[in-house]
Amino acid sequence: MLVPRQINSDLFTKNLNLLKKKDPGLAATLNSFCPGGPYVVTASQKGPPSLAKIRADGKQITLHSSYDPVKEAQRLIDSEDAENRTRFLVLGLGLGYHLQELVRRVPRSSRIMVFEKDAEILFHCLANNDFSSVLVHPGVCFQVAKDVSSLEAVLEPDRTGFALNGYSVVKLQALVSSEFDYYSSLLKKIDSVFTETQIDLKTQAAFSKLFYRNIFDNWKSILNSTGVRSLENKCSGIPAIIVSAGPSLDKNISILKKSSHRAVVIAVATALRPLIENGIRVDFVVVIDPDEATVQFFEFDKIPKNVCLIFDPCAPASIIENYPHRKIRIDSEVYLSQWLASKQEENNFLGKTLSVAHTAFSLAGHLGCEPIILTGQDLSFHRNRLHCAGSYYDLDRKDKIGRLKSLKNLEEARYAGFSPSFKSVEDIFEKEIVTTSALNSYKDIFAEKMNGKGSVYNATEGGLPIPGVPSISLKEAVNELCLTGKWSQTTNVDVLPMKSFQKVKSEVMAQGRRFGTVVNEIATIKSNYLNSSECSAGLQEEFVMRMEKLYRALLDDSETLQLMQGYSYGGFIEWKQESEKNVIQEEMASKEVLASKFQRDIKFVEVLQESAETLRNEFNKMAEEMN
């Protein structure tokens, strides 16, 4: 028979006062909490309290060792290789012995997010365990009884650090198993958020300089174009069909002709050519990709007048400048674009997107369209193909057909190029198909974006199912979900006349001067410390300290720092990763910290110099071109 322990009020008060400094709201909740749930705290054989849960049928679930819960916690952390990590997700708190052991072993700079379903468990923890070592740790935060839908906001401040440097998941297994549905959905959501962030980081690292190059080329279009906020609810209650260029579009493209004047048709750029060639009316075409090859998606002289271009400032200038009809801008996530838009005090941001199809979906919601129907959104291969007939990628392969290269050979070669990221999954018919890790992540992002967004249907008729989105045939979608009457396009937006750039010019000139100051400081640092072939330990230390001073100065000028980081994203990521390693070494009393920091900063000073010089020159050039 279990003999409950009495609550130690003095211990609870001590712990609660420490919690108030970390999380006043949570402390207030616990201060007024009245425990009465299924949990029982008892003494273990070794003395420290243990925790058990009484099920509805009266059976007992032991959440800690009833013999020695402290030793059990030590073994758990032994298995985590905690000393080589600085970021942790702790699922299930119990009486917190594993969390105390984790805090004891990791650097003070570590970030530890603790997820616990039941506030009563935290109450019992504070009432039965001296938790001061945990509560005074600056990196520990508690997320108690959090709904999965609120996790995105909870994780936002930490998503970059966790996605960039990796993390360990520490589970109090007995507790997690007893609340399996809650913790499994929690972990799935966390994984989705961090995977999305990893994709975003890799994209920015790979394309940051191209993003900036295109934005500098597009600055007049950015400042002169109408923003997408002018379209808000312009198509309220009208169905939208978002057309992507997946291979399934081949069998259904003719059905889309019936949608003319019955739905708003939004095409991703890759799908525009096959739609136009098949005589299908398109209202909007969306382009966000920065690669110059994207220009091949467009045949400008064949685009009907009614097709409005929705463009991201990172798209190639050759598209935006040559597009013959109406053009509307969305704000990019790239900081340079945001900086320019902020000088006009406009907000044309549709939210975070990782693909052109996600952007098209956000546009449909912004227009007020309902229902929203997806087609051509395979997110997978079909007979070694990712794209439909008539798309640029299809035509490009056909152009390369020769005596020794059949279309089949070319498709197989391109398919093989994706093999490092292959992933086997089930399609909407529960048959095994092949996708890539990125496309599989896009599916999850779609599911998140579509959650609670009204009526959304997947009429792709192939490829990956999107969780929570019903799959129907395109014929059914057009005949039963789209309007039976005609609708006239109501999205006409006047093209703005060329604006005066005088207000923006003063901001651009001032920012150019700030970059010039950074360039001069870097030149001084390099001249003083990096001119000789050998650098003594004393000079190395002075160099590292001077670089730290420079970085602190940049932190005080957030716009300059963010603009530089946006340009050399990969270089900043590498510096942050090296800094993370140095923190671990330093707190573990490593003798190689100085040498490591010196090598880190030798590379980083070049990153800063290239970034500052490039941006100074581009901002000065932009200012000269403003009349």
Side-chain angles (χ1 to χ4, degrees), residues 540-548 594 597-598 601:
Q540 287 184 18
E541 186 172 4
E542 288 182 28
F543 170 69
V544 169
M545 291 175 64
R546 188 72 176 266
M547 287 292 290
E548 288 177 355
L594 176 60
K597 286 184 176 181
F598 180 69
D601 286 347

Side-chain angles (χ1 to χ4, degrees), residues 221-222 224-232 234 283-288 306-313 315 320 323 325-332 346 348 350 359 363 366-367 489-496:
S221 296
I222 295 170
N224 274 314
S225 62
T226 302
V228 75
R229 70 175 180 174
S230 63
L231 298 180
E232 187 171 8
K234 286 281 188 175
D283 297 292
F284 299 97
V285 58
V286 182
V287 60
I288 69 170
N306 65 287
V307 184
C308 177
L309 177 71
I310 306 294
F311 73 90
D312 184 299
I320 300 167
Y323 194 83
H325 311 306
R326 290 177 302 121
K327 296 172 277 194
I328 295 178
R329 182 190 87 250
I330 59 175
D331 286 344
S332 170
E346 288 187 8
N348 293 285
L350 289 180
T359 306
L363 173 65
H366 181 73
L367 289 165
Q489 192 177 51
T490 59
T491 56
N492 287 319
V493 178
D494 293 333
V495 177
L496 296 175

Side-chain angles (χ1 to χ4, degrees), residues 206-388:
F207 296 106
S208 62
K209 293 179 182 179
L210 179 57
F211 289 154
Y212 268 49
R213 175 73 272 146
N214 288 349
I215 292 169
F216 280 125
D217 288 344
N218 287 325
W219 71 264
K220 289 182 181 178
S221 296
I222 295 170
L223 296 179
N224 274 314
S225 62
T226 302
V228 75
R229 70 175 180 174
S230 63
L231 298 180
E232 187 171 8
N233 292 323
K234 286 281 188 175
C235 302
S236 182
I238 299 171
I241 300 177
I242 297 174
V243 186
S244 299
S248 66
L249 195 61
D250 291 347
K251 63 182 178 182
N252 278 333
I253 197 165
S254 61
I255 297 174
L256 287 172
K257 289 184 179 181
K258 295 182 180 180
S259 68
S260 181
H261 301 293
R262 299 173 69 181
V264 178
V265 178
I266 304 173
V268 306
T270 329
L272 183 63
R273 286 174 68 166
L275 290 175
I276 290 174
E277 288 178 6
N278 282 273
I280 295 163
R281 183 179 182 277
V282 177
D283 297 292
F284 299 97
V285 58
V286 182
V287 60
I288 69 170
D289 296 318
D291 198 307
E292 195 65 33
T294 311
V295 179
Q296 304 301 320
F297 300 166
F298 297 85
E299 292 181 289
F300 296 110
D301 58 338
K302 294 183 180 180
I303 299 174
K305 189 175 181 180
N306 65 287
V307 184
C308 177
L309 177 71
I310 306 294
F311 73 90
D312 184 299
C314 294
S318 52
I319 293 176
I320 300 167
E321 291 171 359
N322 292 310
Y323 194 83
H325 311 306
R326 290 177 302 121
K327 296 172 277 194
I328 295 178
R329 182 190 87 250
I330 59 175
D331 286 344
S332 170
E333 293 181 61
V334 176
Y335 188 73
L336 174 59
S337 170
Q338 294 177 359
W339 188 91
L340 285 169
S342 72
K343 304 313 169 186
Q344 293 184 305
E345 299 178 351
E346 288 187 8
N347 180 12
N348 293 285
F349 189 52
L350 289 180
K352 286 183 174 290
T353 56
L354 289 182
S355 77
V356 66
H358 296 135
T359 306
F361 178 80
S362 296
L363 173 65
H366 181 73
L367 289 165
C369 294
E370 189 171 349
I372 299 174
I373 300 158
L374 310 179
T375 192
Q377 193 60 52
D378 297 64
L379 296 171
S380 61
F381 292 91
H382 176 70
R383 295 179 181 173
N384 297 345
R385 295 167 56 217
L386 274 179
H387 297 94
C388 64

